[in-house]
Amino acid sequence: MDSENGKSRLEKTQDEVEEVKVIMLANMNKAEERSGKLNELEDRADLLLEESKKFEKTSTQVKTKKRWENKKMKVVLIAVAVVAGLIILGLIIFAIVQSS
């Protein structure tokens, strides 16, 4: 019943089973490690998504605020131009009336 190294077939099989067991345990440890890393990555992705939604909301608010500020500025500039135009028109009319 001895094989070439003097081990029985049962001992060789037991050694092979032990090797497979070691390899399987190493694989299970690696899989568990990967699972932990994947969970961490998923948490980070969720946090990033949440932050991007906050950024989108804030940027929309800033955009709206700036749009209104620009509209107000245009109204003020138009009002100043109209008043300046009326003053110039009044001065012209005053000059014409006085010269007559």
Side-chain angles (χ1 to χ4, degrees):
M1 275 210 139
D2 286 332
S3 63
E4 56 199 43
N5 288 340
K7 288 186 176 182
S8 69
R9 287 177 62 194
L10 179 60
E11 287 174 327
K12 279 181 95 173
T13 304
Q14 286 175 335
D15 288 346
E16 289 174 1
V17 167
E18 192 61 34
E19 266 185 60
V20 170
K21 182 178 162 186
V22 169
I23 292 170
M24 285 180 64
L25 285 173
N27 286 342
M28 288 174 61
N29 287 338
K30 288 178 185 176
E32 189 176 321
E33 210 175 283
R34 270 189 238 115
S35 175
K37 288 180 182 179
L38 285 174
N39 288 338
E40 182 182 324
L41 185 60
E42 186 177 349
D43 291 344
R44 289 172 56 195
D46 289 343
L47 183 62
L48 187 60
L49 179 62
E50 186 178 316
E51 290 296 321
S52 70
K53 287 180 181 179
K54 286 180 189 176
F55 176 78
E56 182 180 11
K57 182 179 178 183
T58 303
S59 64
T60 301
Q61 290 172 343
V62 169
K63 180 180 169 185
T64 303
K65 180 181 176 186
K66 290 297 178 186
R67 185 180 293 138
W68 278 110
E69 286 177 4
N70 286 340
K71 286 184 181 187
K72 287 178 190 175
M73 186 59 72
K74 284 181 185 178
V75 168
V76 167
L77 289 175
I78 289 172
V80 168
V82 167
V83 168
L86 290 175
I87 290 173
I88 292 172
L89 185 62
L91 289 174
I92 292 172
I93 291 174
F94 180 72
I96 291 174
V97 168
Q98 254 199 345
S99 67
S100 325

